[in-house]
Amino acid sequence: MSLKSPFTMYQLIDAKKRAEVLSTEAIHWMVNEYVAKRIPDYQAAALLMAIYCRGMNDQETANLTDAMLHSGRMLNFNDRTVVDKHSTGGIGDKPSFILAPIAAACGVKVPMIAGRGLGFTGGTVDKVESVPGFRTNLTLDDFADQLKKHGIVLMGQTPEIAPADRLFYALRDVTATIDCIPLITASIMSKKLAEGAEGIVFDIKHGSGAFMRDPKQARLLAKSLLKTGKRFKRRCMVMLTDMSQPLGQEVGHALEIQESIRVLKGEGPADLTYLSIELAAGMVLLAGKAKTMAEARNKCFKTIDDGSALKKFRHMLALQGGDASVVDHPQKLIVAREKTVIKSPKKGWLKSFQNDQIGYLLTELGGGRKTIEQTPDLAVGFTFHAKIGAKLNKGDALMTIHHHANQKELVSAIEKRFLKEVVGFSTRAVRAPKLISEVLRG
Ligand code: URA
């Protein structure tokens, strides 16, 4: 029996506990009341857990998205060329800095509202703040203005966008309800819809460095995002990508920006260049700036060859107060001076990385947050010299730790943990994982 207004949280929790479908009105009521602080956290948490255990159908997921979207300000550019990318995050995940200027140079308007790192994954906003002076705390009006005038903007999350998500996310974080597909879908989609994106390319990662480790779960999330995108009449595309090893070679804030600049100059590692181009090409296609992926890909490559992507990146830095000369002098991005190289202890093939542990080791080194209040050290990090499938001799370089002079003891502990807990070797040849396992269209 479907619930009727006036609702109570007790009824909603009880209904979901019995796997009943919550009505549109009930979901909107609950989100509005929770944002207005008229529902206590313990009842909201109980409902989240009931949703976690019993799930939500597509209509409920869309209603939850809609209610969360309407909890704050919504931008609407009425412009098909406004297309964003969303990644579920991982180790060395930096394509945003590469694909945004590439897509913008192809005529896409790229509205990026990005997050900070917590747990084992780094945050886009923290990384770009390694560029001296770069401001990520724009107002939403400045954000919209810059997008309309210059076609590229990158800022941190603001309380005006989907405030319900902020509240629910904090509660999910402490009640073991993060990894729930309808809740993740509503959380991601409400923010992307609110920033005015007409098209969205999703990079859904799986593997030991992703929060959705299991590829089957990642695929279910992909399907859910596509269905919800369709209900909101947005063009969407999902790439399911491997996160069982770091993306590119660099992990650490300033190091990752340096590496992104290398890709924009056509000098980056193959995996990172490939994924960034594919994601950017998806954006170009959704924006209607190309008819096929092949045409979009060619356009994207051209922006690297003719320097227009690098020019866009420089321009974005300057627009937001950043020192754009870092593009020509990447050494201005401060990287820690001391280097310790970890060498392969044996001959064989590199079989695996326990990728999330790399994020935790970076946090140990100071380059991450153990609490929300902490400021990460942007100068420390790791450079990876070998990827899964590499043939190694004893003594070959595996990874360089970039650290400070007073961190010698810590570095030696990290080296031990890296060799014991992070890398796996095989005596037989190992095949490298496929970086993009599947592309799904809405
Ligand atoms: N990222 C989000 O924005 N929300 C989630 O729920 C999970 C990942």
Side-chain angles (χ1 to χ4, degrees):
M1 201 181 67
S2 103
L3 299 178
K4 297 245 163 33
S5 171
F7 303 106
T8 67
M9 269 309 268
Y10 183 94
Q11 286 174 324
L12 263 70
I13 298 165
D14 192 46
K16 195 37 92 182
K17 183 181 80 182
R18 296 171 200 283
E20 284 176 25
V21 173
L22 300 180
S23 67
T24 308
E25 297 72 30
I27 291 173
H28 278 263
W29 171 83
M30 182 276 293
V31 171
N32 289 341
E33 292 297 291
Y34 186 57
V35 172
K37 302 202 181 324
R38 287 191 288 266
I39 291 175
D41 283 348
Y42 55 83
Q43 283 189 315
L47 182 63
L48 290 173
M49 187 51 87
I51 293 172
Y52 185 96
C53 296
R54 296 304 202 160
M56 277 185 142
N57 67 21
D58 295 345
Q59 184 62 52
E60 289 175 292
T61 306
N63 286 335
L64 184 61
T65 306
D66 194 44
M68 285 166 61
L69 164 66
H70 283 87
S71 68
R73 265 186 78 183
M74 288 172 288
L75 298 177
N76 185 359
F77 299 100
N78 261 328
D79 180 349
R80 174 180 182 179
T81 66
V82 177
V83 178
D84 197 6
K85 181 238 35 167
H86 178 87
S87 157
T88 51
I91 307 299
D93 188 36
K94 55 192 95 67
S96 291
F97 309 116
I98 304 160
L99 60 85
I102 292 177
C106 293
V108 180
K109 293 202 178 86
V110 188
M112 273 191 297
I113 299 187
R116 294 195 183 273
L118 193 64
F120 65 83
T121 60
T124 299
V125 166
D126 296 320
K127 290 174 193 176
V128 76
E129 281 178 355
S130 62
V131 176
F134 191 83
R135 281 184 302 111
T136 54
N137 60 344
L138 310 183
T139 66
L140 209 50
D141 292 327
D142 289 343
F143 173 86
D145 255 21
Q146 185 172 319
L147 184 73
K148 279 190 234 159
K149 282 195 200 127
H150 303 286
I152 186 166
V153 56
L154 195 177
M155 71 181 264
Q157 262 150 24
T158 130
E160 294 158 282
I161 290 279
D165 176 57
R166 210 169 246 251
L167 298 172
F168 282 128
Y169 197 91
L171 206 52
R172 287 166 59 206
D173 208 17
V174 291
T175 54
T177 48
I178 290 282
D179 52 335
C180 167
I181 287 174
L183 296 179
I184 299 171
T185 303
S187 164
I188 294 177
M189 287 305 285
S190 59
K191 285 177 289 198
K192 290 288 143 186
L193 297 173
E195 69 175 29
E198 301 260 327
I200 309 153
V201 176
F202 295 99
D203 177 3
I204 308 292
K205 301 188 183 287
H206 49 80
S208 58
F211 88 101
M212 275 274 149
R213 288 173 189 219
D214 176 7
K216 287 197 193 103
Q217 284 295 105
R219 197 165 192 279
L220 288 178
L221 175 59
K223 291 258 177 202
S224 173
L225 289 166
L226 288 175
K227 276 188 212 154
T228 310
K230 195 170 171 198
R231 279 175 184 263
F232 286 87
K233 300 194 168 39
R234 298 303 197 277
R235 281 178 299 277
C236 295
M237 180 188 282
V238 182
M239 297 192 190
L240 290 170
T241 70
D242 177 65
M243 194 20 88
S244 60
Q245 59 182 334
L247 182 59
Q249 283 187 280
E250 311 290 351
V251 176
H253 300 77
L255 284 167
E256 292 190 38
I257 297 292
Q258 286 186 345
E259 187 176 39
S260 303
I261 293 171
R262 288 201 290 278
V263 176
L264 289 169
K265 289 180 177 172
E267 299 158 5
D271 62 339
L272 178 60
T273 306
Y274 164 62
L275 182 58
S276 305
I277 290 280
E278 289 302 305
L279 293 167
M283 295 167 75
V284 170
L285 188 71
L286 295 188
K289 296 286 175 186
K291 292 204 170 59
T292 63
M293 266 305 266
E295 184 193 345
R297 211 174 273 129
N298 282 340
K299 283 194 167 188
C300 293
F301 271 122
K302 196 155 168 279
T303 66
I304 294 189
D305 292 344
D306 66 13
S308 54
L310 199 61
K311 195 169 158 200
K312 269 282 170 198
F313 184 66
R314 205 184 261 121
H315 189 46
M316 180 187 79
L317 295 185
L319 282 169
Q320 295 183 222
D323 179 357
S325 71
V326 298
V327 170
D328 307 302
H329 307 285
Q331 69 280 8
K332 285 191 178 176
L333 297 159
I334 308 297
V335 173
R337 291 232 173 134
E338 298 286 318
K339 290 183 188 171
T340 299
V341 180
I342 302 185
K343 295 184 176 155
S344 177
K346 52 179 109 168
K347 187 176 170 187
W349 281 264
L350 187 50
K351 187 175 89 180
S352 60
F353 287 100
Q354 192 52 48
N355 213 9
D356 56 346
Q357 291 303 322
I358 295 171
Y360 291 126
L361 290 182
L362 183 67
T363 303
E364 286 304 313
L365 196 60
R369 279 191 186 80
K370 287 184 181 168
T371 62
I372 291 176
E373 295 75 29
Q374 250 177 342
T375 310
D377 181 345
L378 306 181
V380 296
F382 307 129
T383 302
F384 288 84
H385 304 293
K387 292 264 173 177
I388 296 175
K391 192 171 180 204
L392 297 164
N393 283 315
K394 187 172 174 190
D396 281 353
L398 283 177
M399 177 178 94
T400 297
I401 307 179
H402 302 262
H403 59 94
H404 301 293
N406 59 358
Q407 291 183 306
K408 291 258 157 68
E409 256 178 47
L410 181 59
V411 166
S412 125
I414 287 177
E415 173 164 4
K416 281 197 193 97
R417 273 183 62 192
F418 180 76
L419 290 173
K420 194 163 167 235
E421 295 167 22
V422 178
V423 272
F425 299 91
S426 167
T427 49
R428 294 203 196 142
V430 173
R431 204 190 284 174
K434 210 170 166 192
L435 183 50
I436 303 179
S437 51
E438 194 173 354
V439 178
L440 297 110
R441 288 288 301 272

